[in-house]
Amino acid sequence: MASHGICDRVAIVGMGCTPFGEHWDKGVDELLIDSTTEALGSAGVKLADVDAFWLGTMGSGISGLTLSRPLRIDYKPVSRLENMCATGSEAFRNACYAVASGAFDMVAAVGVEKLKDSGFSGLVGASPPNDGTSASMSAPAMFSLLAPAYANKYGVDEAELKDVLTRIAWKNHHNGALNPRAQFKKEVSKEVICNSPLVAGALGIFDCSGVSDGSAAAVIVRAEDAHRYTDNPIYVKALSFVAGPAAGPIDPDYDYTTFVEVVRSAEDAYKQAGIQDPRAELAMAEVHDCFTPTELVLMEDLGFAERGTAWKEVLAGTFDLDGDLPVNPDGGLKSFGHPIGASGLRMLFEAWTQLRGEAGARQIDNGKKLALTHNLGGAPGECVSFVSVVGSEPSA
């Protein structure tokens, strides 16, 4: 790819994140106010100090007025973005580029989604007109195809793969139980997970992320200005976003054991950040665990495990909170649910919290200084993918 990146040119100096869950007593306005106010407060700045805003929401508002109205923003640029499940990450990416370009000194990226009382039980929105080749199945059904395809390709017994997927859900609920901002703050036994009612294919209720409301926000400045606002800024090392040709459903060679878009965006992000061995160099990773087999496949697509071995690594505890590479230490989509526009920034909030040593009972202490976040939007074979790398120190 021809991506040159903006490594160490911008930094995050403030972040905020609401608790995710069933906010029956709060609307979009209140959620936006809460996350943005916390982000501004952590940076020690006022709303008037921010030059421009990027808002990510898939279905909870139209135009920048969704943000400018409740915050009473005084005639400044507010861009509303949508890129499926990577919407929050896309707001962050565009905000970072605006500062790196020199157009603005300080900007904010904000993500929000209000799903619980929207009338939708899952992802919001209707499918746009298409040529008939796109899959018409539900999201659980489409992602359920990953499990048997992986088992067949790598010779994993059906019962053993069930144990693997169960352990992924168990791990993420264990982590979420340590996080006061998670929607589901309880550990769930492997027995309960394994025997939960089926939703699609072999996927049970606990193999699927929940539906929730939430918002998260970040304040971004030039790297050289970061210490004016905080003693512990987080530096942006890489931002990669790709959209594929969406040919999977009609490509006879696509086997549902990989997201090519994730592979490409990860390769690009590692090149921007100068990462040679992500498993050895990353302190943690937040990945898009919309369904348990998604996380399994992502471990290989992101280079955390060799092809055909991620299932063994899961069982060995490699990606546990105290493993070689903790994955979803905040509980992931499994514990937070998935308010689409907020999820990417929520992942970044965990990287911010961990790299600053503020994660409390779930704090990772492996001496590493880099963290990764990942979103995908769409379905196997036809998706977009975002990968970021951030770090607690500028490059030497």
Side-chain angles (χ1 to χ4, degrees):
M1 294 180 65
S3 176
H4 302 296
I6 56 171
C7 184
D8 286 337
R9 289 167 60 183
V10 302
I12 307 164
V13 294
M15 288 208 72
C17 183
T18 69
F20 280 29
E22 299 181 344
H23 289 292
W24 303 112
D25 59 338
K26 291 186 176 183
V28 172
D29 289 2
E30 288 80 9
L31 292 170
L32 286 171
I33 291 170
D34 287 351
S35 66
T36 306
T37 300
E38 183 182 1
L40 295 172
S42 71
V45 300
K46 298 178 181 179
L47 186 68
D49 297 326
V50 181
D51 300 318
F53 303 79
W54 277 260
L55 169 68
T57 187
M58 186 169 180
S60 296
I62 300 173
S63 89
L65 296 176
T66 303
L67 184 67
S68 67
R69 183 183 292 112
L71 266 61
R72 299 183 181 179
I73 293 170
D74 190 20
Y75 303 99
K76 293 183 178 181
V78 184
S79 302
R80 181 259 182 180
L81 298 170
E82 178 275 320
N83 223 323
M84 292 195 288
C85 297
T87 291
S89 295
E90 185 73 327
F92 177 69
R93 184 175 73 102
N94 279 267
C96 288
Y97 284 157
V99 172
S101 74
F104 300 106
D105 297 326
M106 177 184 291
V107 303
V110 189
V112 71
E113 213 73 65
K114 188 85 172 71
L115 296 180
K116 291 303 295 187
D117 51 2
S118 66
F120 292 89
S121 60
L123 291 181
V124 63
S127 298
N130 61 74
D131 62 3
T133 58
S134 295
S136 59
M137 299 183 292
S138 68
M142 288 188 286
F143 282 86
S144 75
L145 300 176
L146 298 172
Y150 187 95
N152 180 67
K153 182 171 184 176
Y154 297 116
V156 185
D157 180 76
E158 181 180 341
E160 192 151 35
L161 186 63
K162 182 68 173 178
D163 289 342
V164 172
L165 301 184
T166 294
R167 200 181 192 289
I168 290 172
W170 171 83
K171 167 184 69 73
N172 290 346
H173 279 290
H174 167 78
N175 295 349
L178 302 172
N179 194 332
R181 298 179 196 252
Q183 179 180 24
F184 305 115
K185 294 183 279 288
K186 288 178 60 178
E187 293 196 49
V188 184
S189 71
K190 294 176 184 177
E191 181 180 10
V192 169
I193 294 169
C194 186
N195 294 306
S196 65
L198 295 179
V199 174
L203 302 188
I205 289 174
F206 287 99
D207 290 299
C208 310
S209 60
V211 179
S212 63
D213 308 326
S215 181
V219 178
I220 301 137
V221 302
R222 287 187 294 269
E224 59 265 32
D225 297 333
H227 282 282
R228 293 169 52 189
Y229 306 100
T230 178
D231 292 334
N232 301 298
I234 298 302
Y235 299 91
V236 175
K237 305 290 183 178
L239 299 166
S240 182
F241 185 91
V242 305
I250 57 173
D251 183 355
D253 292 327
Y254 182 65
D255 67 1
Y256 287 86
T257 65
T258 183
F259 300 92
V260 179
E261 296 87 348
V262 175
V263 175
R264 297 294 183 87
S265 59
E267 289 174 347
D268 180 39
Y270 296 151
K271 182 178 179 181
Q272 291 180 33
I275 290 177
Q276 301 295 321
D277 184 349
R279 177 163 164 173
E281 296 176 55
L282 293 171
M284 54 153 285
E286 283 285 318
V287 308
H288 200 90
D289 60 315
C290 49
F291 303 94
T292 52
T294 312
E295 180 169 325
L296 174 65
V297 170
L298 290 175
M299 297 303 93
E300 298 178 9
D301 284 347
L302 291 167
F304 301 163
E306 296 294 329
R307 289 290 174 188
T309 69
W311 67 277
K312 298 178 183 178
E313 302 277 16
V314 168
L315 293 176
T318 299
F319 309 119
D320 291 0
L321 204 56
D322 58 355
D324 286 349
L325 175 55
V327 171
N328 291 333
D330 71 349
L333 275 68
K334 282 296 296 103
S335 292
F336 272 81
H338 183 27
I340 302 99
S343 287
L345 281 158
R346 183 269 301 164
M347 294 176 176
L348 194 69
F349 182 80
E350 179 66 8
W352 159 271
T353 303
Q354 289 282 355
L355 291 177
R356 286 161 56 95
E358 300 170 349
R362 66 184 190 282
Q363 180 64 50
I364 297 164
D365 187 19
N366 55 23
K368 301 174 186 177
K369 307 297 184 181
L370 298 174
L372 175 145
T373 73
H374 163 265
N375 281 128
L376 66 82
E382 48 178 345
C383 71
V384 298
S385 175
F386 169 87
V387 174
S388 80
V389 179
V390 296
S392 57
E393 297 177 354
S395 301

